[in-house]
Amino acid sequence: MKMNKKLVLIAMALLCASSVFARKPKVKRVDAEEVIDLDGYWNDTDIRTVCETLVNDCIDSPRVAKFEKKNGRAPCVVIGKIKNDSSERIDTSIVAKKMQTAIINSGVLEFVADSNERVELREEKADQAEHVEYGTAKEIDAETAADFLMTGSVKTQVQSADKYTVRSYFVYVTLTDIQSNKIIWQGENSDIKKYIKNQKVKL
């Protein structure tokens, strides 16, 4: 019993010592455009590279231009799922939002709210119908329909040998005509390839 008490006291002393001598993080602000690869996984530079390539391809699509010429307006797009089919955790919603922002700013396409946002908007309209001044409430059945659905995926291919790893990323984005199910445009980015040397860490 006495031995157990001694072990507990030793453990508590070690915990106190570790907290006293714990290292404080040293933070240095860097330029947002600076390329920083700490572990070889997907990062902000990859997102920027992918979005720049795919947005430019989408904007230059002849079928998108053909739609505007035929209908006299830019097509409306709704964002669907950008799936993560890779071998790591990737927040694909960042890719979707960055592409949406860049394409909206280009003036080539217009976007309508996605499925989650539409639920909130409809709740707001229903609330307005009951509580706001007559004539100012927004109509429930007056939404603009989307012409195209934007979907996509992020995939990875990993090769490893000894202490070396090569990680390749493939990003696909597709615009599909909601009425006809025809693919209007499909973009691909396969420019991201990382060569990683795995080093053993001494403990």
Side-chain angles (χ1 to χ4, degrees):
M1 196 72 175
K2 290 182 178 179
M3 182 62 69
N4 287 340
K5 286 183 178 179
K6 285 184 179 180
L7 290 173
V8 170
L9 290 171
I10 292 170
M12 289 177 66
L14 289 172
L15 284 172
C16 290
S18 63
S19 62
V20 170
F21 295 103
R23 293 183 179 179
K24 292 183 179 180
K26 186 176 181 181
V27 179
K28 176 186 176 184
R29 290 188 178 271
V30 297
D31 192 294
E33 301 291 323
E34 184 175 344
V35 179
I36 301 175
D37 272 304
L38 295 179
D39 54 15
Y41 289 98
W42 179 269
N43 59 28
D44 63 313
T45 301
D46 303 324
I47 294 173
R48 191 161 54 247
T49 301
V50 163
C51 289
E52 286 175 359
T53 301
L54 294 176
V55 165
N56 290 334
D57 286 350
C58 183
I59 290 172
D60 294 336
S61 168
R63 286 193 177 91
V64 171
K66 185 179 178 181
F67 179 98
E68 185 168 2
K69 186 176 180 180
K70 179 181 177 181
N71 296 277
R73 63 174 177 82
C76 285
V77 182
V78 61
I79 288 280
K81 290 182 179 179
I82 307 293
K83 296 187 295 183
N84 178 18
D85 292 331
S86 73
S87 57
E88 60 191 78
R89 293 187 65 181
I90 294 176
D91 186 352
T92 54
S93 67
I94 299 175
V95 178
K97 285 299 182 183
K98 278 189 172 289
M99 286 195 62
Q100 179 175 320
T101 300
I103 294 172
I104 288 174
N105 291 341
S106 74
V108 174
L109 300 175
E110 293 182 355
F111 282 78
V112 297
D114 65 30
S115 57
N116 292 325
E117 293 165 337
R118 287 199 300 274
V119 170
E120 291 187 45
L121 288 165
R122 287 166 185 164
E123 289 174 353
E124 173 61 23
K125 290 172 190 172
D127 184 73
Q128 287 186 10
E130 292 185 23
H131 302 291
V132 305
E133 184 181 351
Y134 179 77
T136 63
K138 301 301 178 283
E139 296 180 26
I140 292 176
D141 297 325
E143 298 178 13
T144 299
D147 302 298
F148 301 151
L149 174 68
M150 178 176 282
T151 55
S153 62
V154 180
K155 304 177 186 293
T156 53
Q157 185 179 56
V158 181
Q159 291 179 294
S160 296
D162 297 327
K163 58 184 178 181
Y164 301 99
T165 300
V166 176
R167 306 184 69 86
S168 302
Y169 294 85
F170 304 87
V171 184
Y172 304 92
V173 177
T174 301
L175 271 183
T176 305
D177 187 307
I178 294 175
Q179 180 65 47
S180 66
N181 291 346
K182 289 182 179 179
I183 295 177
I184 301 301
W185 166 80
Q186 182 166 297
E188 174 188 339
N189 184 291
S190 56
D191 297 333
I192 300 172
K193 193 170 187 176
K194 302 183 181 184
Y195 178 74
I196 306 154
K197 183 178 180 181
N198 303 304
Q199 296 180 332
K200 291 183 179 180
V201 178
K202 293 182 179 180
L203 299 176

